[in-house]
Each structure stands twice: as structure tokens, then as C-alpha cells.
């Protein structure tokens, strides 16, 4: 007997050079686009020109909101809403990493509902966000297909998690050309974020046969291609496999939520500005070690998808081998390995654990932690 709901309404276009279709795609959704971008790499590598030319060819007007930072804050969304309203834009094009796409989602939702972004987490917004074409330039968050947007609320010292079907993008354009200039550290951090999504989605209490199929294929693709993607940006096949794998993981976790790694990584971002993927990468092996008593069989399935061949054949042997492999992966990537070297202080662990404990992602984790146990996990990787 199978029983599940699965929602993935985004039109997905995966093709090298597909950003040149942005104008034609936009013409189906509106008449004037707000192009949201980050720090300027899109301009430097020529992608912004390609997008703008295709808008011009299709008689679509546009305004540009550039400079969206990593881990956008409420003020960054507010600026975007002002530009969107003043310029009378009726659709959005977000081209950038997960932060840019998350920010565009919040802009589109706040603009459509005439509502401050600080209230979006609690309110049930009446209207869907403005139509959004999402073009990821990293391979990690899968924000281009998910119902999540994470916005930092500095006043409340927390990450606002907007999770609603009303912010699922209309179109996702996966064009590997846009990811080729991604530096190794970013490829490593975002790739480990994607692997964490896939693993946590597979283990989530909300997992279904549908999401598990996606998660296992994501784990297979990411574990085989992450290293090449990080250390050889000319390996287009590896970068494309990462783009595909992270998207599969996104389709899964958008329906299952992430779990304890994410509950514990968000406070590291808020308290210390540690990049999301790097925080996940350092937490992932330790949290899996903690999870093992509750889900050894599922961890064994993950190990097998990663190609781990344990000499011993029991689930626990495979699960242990998985934890070892995750520590080894972290060791070989250009990422920091311990919280201590990221500047994390023992005195903040309790407050961060309390903050993470309240997150919805904690309660779909296969093993339900106490705050003390979460502190112990942080301590283990200090
Ligand atoms: Fe994530």
C-alpha cells in the first residue's frame, strides 16, 4: 500500500545554453521582469547580457536589482520589493546562488501580498508570489524547485523559514554554463549542502517512495561527482551531474523537509555568519553518528547508493562505514573541519541548541534529540 502526496509544479529545463530562452519563457508569464542577481559574477561571465538580450528579443521590459548578498536579510528583501513595485514588474528572474533565489521568492511573495516580509513566516499568504524564473549558478540549495526561502532576521537573531507552496518557482533553468565559474570552496560547500538535503530527505519521517527514489539518485550523483566538480571546473559532466543531483534532492526535501543537520546549522549562520553549506558539511557526519541507533537500515541504503562496499554485511556495519566516508569527504574538501576554527565559542552552544531545537526540521529527524544531546553534538565537532 502506497500513500503519499507529492508536489513539484516547476517546469524544469535542463540544457547547456538554456539561459538564452529566458525571454521566451518570460513572455509566457508577464511583461516586465525584475532581474535579481548577486555580486557581479553573472555580469563578468556574460550570462546577464545573454538574459537581457533574450528579454529584448521578446519585448519584455526589465529592471535589475543587483548586489543581493549571501544569507540575505529582511532589509535586502525590502529594497527588492520597493524596486519591484516602483518599476511595476509583474514577474521575477533570479539568477544566482540559493541566497539570490530565496531573496527573489520573498520579494515576489511580499509584493504580491502587499505584506512586510517579517510577517510572512507566520501569516498564511493569500496570493502566490509573482511568477519566478529561477536560474541557479551554484549546485546546492535547489531553491529553484523548492517551497522554501530562508531570510535572516537579525532583530530576532534567527533565520526566518518561509515554507509554502505559494513560493515554488514557475520555471527552473538548469544551464551548466552558469555554474562553470563557481570557485572550488563554493562548489564544495554548496555540494555538501545538496548531499545533506538528499540524506536528510531520505531519512525524514515524512519520506515517501517518491522522495526516497529522488534522494537515492541524488546521493548517487553527488557522491560520485562532487570531488571532480570541486577540483576541476572544466569537467562539465561532473558540474552537470551536480546540478542535476542537487535538483533531485530539492524535489525530495521540498516535500519532506530537511532534518537535524539543518536545525543545527542555521544558528551557526545567524551567530557567526558561517556559510550554510560549510556549516552542514561539518555537522553531517556527527549528526549521522548520532542518528545511527534510530535508522541503521536506511543509513545502510545510503551507504550502498554511495558505492560503499562494506566487508561486513550488517546494516550497522554499513551505517558505520557511511559515517567514516562522510568524515573522509569533509577531509578532502577545501572546507574548514571544526567549529573551533570557525570561531564558535563554547558559551554559545546552549543558546544555539535551544534555537535549533524549536525548528520544524528537528521533529522529522529519525532520532528525536534533547537540547543537551544537541549541545553534545556541537561539542564533538568543536
Ligand atoms: Fe540546505
Amino acid at each position: 500500500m502506497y500513500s503519499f502526496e507529492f508536489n513539484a509544479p516547476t517546469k524544469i529545463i535542463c540544457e547547456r545554453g538554456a539561459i538564452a530562452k529566458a525571454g521566451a519563457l518570460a513572455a509566457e508569464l508577464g511583461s516586465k521582469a525584475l532581474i535579481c542577481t548577486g555580486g557581479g559574477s553573472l555580469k563578468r561571465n556574460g550570462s546577464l547580457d545573454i538574459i537581457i538580450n533574450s528579454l529584448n528579443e521578446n519585448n519584455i521590459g526589465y529592471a535589475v536589482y543587483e548586489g543581493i548578498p549571501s544569507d540575505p536579510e529582511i532589509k535586502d528583501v525590502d529594497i527588492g520589493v520597493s524596486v519591484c513595485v516602483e518599476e511595476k514588474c509583474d514577474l521575477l528572474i533570479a539568477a544566482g546562488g540559493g541566497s539570490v533565489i530565496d531573496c527573489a521568492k520573498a520579494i515576489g511573495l511580499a509584493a504580491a501580498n502587499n505584506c512586510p516580509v517579517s510577517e510572512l513566516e507566520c501569516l498564511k499568504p493569500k496570493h502566490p508570489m509573482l511568477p519566478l524564473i529561477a536560474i541557479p549558478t551554484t549546485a546546492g540549495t535547489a531553491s529553484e524547485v523548492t517551497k522554501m526561502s530562508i531570510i535572516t532576521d537579525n532583530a530576532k537573531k534567527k533565520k526566518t523559514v518561509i515554507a509554502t507552496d505559494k513560493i515554488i518557482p514557475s520555471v527552473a533553468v538548469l544551464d551548466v554554463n552558469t555554474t562553470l565559474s563557481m570557485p572550488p570552496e563554493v562548489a564544495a560547500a554548496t555540494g555538501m549542502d545538496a548531499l545533506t538535503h538528499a540524506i536528510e530527505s531520505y531519512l525524514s519521517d515524512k519520506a515517501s517512495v517518491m522522495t526516497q527514489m529522488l534522494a537515492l539518485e541524488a546521493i548517487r550523483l553527488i557522491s560520485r561527482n562532487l570531488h571532480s566538480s570541486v577540483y576541476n571546473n572544466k569537467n562539465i559532466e561532473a558540474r552537470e551531474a551536480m546540478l542535476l543531483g542537487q535538483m533531485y534532492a530539492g524535489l525530495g526535501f521540498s516535500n519532506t523537509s530537511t532534518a537535524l543537520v539543518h536545525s543545527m546549522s542555521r544558528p551557526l549562520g545567524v551567530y557567526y555568519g558561517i556559510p550554510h553549506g560549510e556549516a552542514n558539511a561539518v555537522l553531517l557526519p556527527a549528526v549521522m553518528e548520532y542518528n545511527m541507533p534510530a535508522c541503521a537500515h536506511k543509513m545502510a541504503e545510503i551507504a550502498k547508493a554511495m558505492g560503499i562496499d562494506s566487508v561486513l554485511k550488517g546494516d550497522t556495519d554499513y551505517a558505520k562505514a557511511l559515517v567514516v566516508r562522510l568524515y573522509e569527504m569533509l577531509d578532502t574538501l577545501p572546507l574548514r573541519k571544526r567549529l573551533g576554527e570557525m570561531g564558535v565559542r563554547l558559551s554559545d552552544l546552549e543558546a544555539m541548541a535551544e534555537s535549533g531545537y524549536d525548528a520544524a526540521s528537528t521533529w522529522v529527524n529519525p532520532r528525536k534529540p534533547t537540547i543537551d544531546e544537541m549541545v553534545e553534538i556541537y561539542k564533538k565537532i568543536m
Side-chain angles (χ1 to χ4, degrees):
M1 287 280 283
Y2 297 114
S3 171
F4 64 87
E5 287 183 18
F6 183 84
N7 188 30
T10 305
K11 174 177 182 171
I12 299 165
I13 299 173
C14 181
E15 181 187 343
R16 200 169 181 200
I19 56 168
K21 295 180 175 174
L25 293 165
E28 293 175 14
L29 299 170
S31 57
K32 186 169 183 182
L34 178 67
I35 303 174
C36 300
T37 75
S41 64
L42 210 66
K43 237 184 210 170
R44 287 192 297 278
N45 69 21
S47 297
L48 188 60
D49 282 342
I50 295 172
I51 292 168
I52 287 174
N53 287 342
S54 82
L55 291 174
N56 287 334
E57 283 166 11
N58 286 276
N59 297 316
I60 300 295
Y62 66 90
V64 179
Y65 174 34
E66 58 187 336
I68 296 172
S70 293
D71 299 313
E73 298 173 22
I74 287 174
K75 66 178 168 54
D76 302 308
V77 179
D78 287 341
I79 295 168
V81 173
S82 301
V83 179
C84 188
V85 172
E86 276 164 26
E87 294 283 343
K88 298 188 170 59
C89 295
D90 57 4
L91 78 137
L92 298 143
I93 297 176
S99 293
V100 167
I101 300 173
D102 278 8
C103 190
K105 287 172 165 177
I107 292 168
L109 190 63
N113 287 279
N114 194 20
C115 159
V117 66
S118 53
E119 292 175 19
L120 288 175
E121 186 178 33
C122 307
L123 286 179
K124 291 216 178 318
K126 211 166 155 191
H127 307 291
M129 70 168 175
L130 300 179
L132 169 63
I133 299 171
I135 305 170
T137 60
T138 61
T141 68
S143 186
E144 72 275 9
V145 293
T146 74
K147 63 175 189 180
M148 320 288 183
S149 164
I150 314 286
I151 305 296
T152 300
D153 185 338
N154 271 331
K156 292 184 186 154
K157 223 173 177 187
K158 70 186 268 280
K159 298 262 182 185
T160 300
V161 181
I162 306 168
T164 163
D165 289 349
K166 292 190 165 62
I167 59 168
I168 299 178
S170 308
V171 183
V173 178
L174 304 183
D175 178 350
V176 71
N177 287 350
T178 65
T179 73
L180 297 181
S181 57
M182 182 169 50
E185 301 75 26
V186 178
T190 53
M192 286 303 284
D193 184 29
L195 181 63
T196 308
H197 293 156
I199 290 176
E200 294 211 282
S201 176
Y202 189 74
L203 297 178
S204 166
D205 286 356
K206 289 190 189 167
S208 69
V209 286
M210 190 87 185
T211 61
Q212 285 180 339
M213 174 188 70
L214 288 160
L216 283 182
E217 182 60 8
I219 289 164
R220 200 185 67 77
L221 284 168
I222 295 166
S223 60
R224 281 162 180 75
N225 290 284
L226 178 59
H227 202 270
S228 302
S229 162
V230 168
Y231 289 107
N232 179 7
N233 70 348
K234 296 201 168 44
N235 186 339
I236 291 169
E237 287 73 24
R239 289 248 159 151
E240 201 160 41
M242 288 299 299
L243 200 51
L244 195 61
Q246 62 89 38
M247 181 270 287
Y248 289 161
L251 291 177
F253 91 78
S254 189
N255 285 275
T256 62
S257 168
T258 53
L260 186 57
V261 176
H262 276 73
S263 303
M264 295 181 65
S265 68
R266 289 189 204 108
L268 291 167
V270 176
Y271 278 69
Y272 296 101
I274 298 168
H276 176 68
E278 196 169 32
N280 282 337
V282 74
L283 279 161
L284 181 63
V287 172
M288 288 308 125
E289 213 168 353
Y290 168 79
N291 280 342
M292 207 176 345
C295 55
H297 177 67
K298 280 177 122 182
M299 285 176 65
E301 295 303 310
I302 292 169
K304 289 169 192 169
M306 287 176 72
I308 294 172
D309 189 15
S310 174
V311 283
L312 302 166
K313 298 298 177 202
D315 285 346
T316 306
D317 301 316
Y318 273 104
K320 283 180 182 166
L322 171 65
V323 172
V324 170
R325 175 67 60 87
L326 294 174
Y327 277 117
E328 285 170 357
M329 283 181 82
L330 179 60
D331 271 346
T332 63
L333 292 170
L335 299 171
R336 292 171 289 181
K337 321 293 180 206
R338 313 288 302 178
L339 296 182
E341 61 180 305
M342 300 177 190
V344 176
R345 292 181 297 271
L346 280 171
S347 54
D348 282 331
L349 299 187
E350 179 107 22
M352 289 198 301
E354 280 172 13
S355 161
Y357 183 79
D358 289 334
S361 45
T362 305
W363 301 108
V364 298
N365 195 64
R367 187 173 173 190
K368 310 296 179 262
T370 64
I371 290 173
D372 285 347
E373 285 173 335
M374 291 168 73
V375 171
E376 286 309 309
I377 295 170
Y378 280 134
K379 276 186 183 163
K380 191 168 188 173
I381 51 172
M382 278 296 282

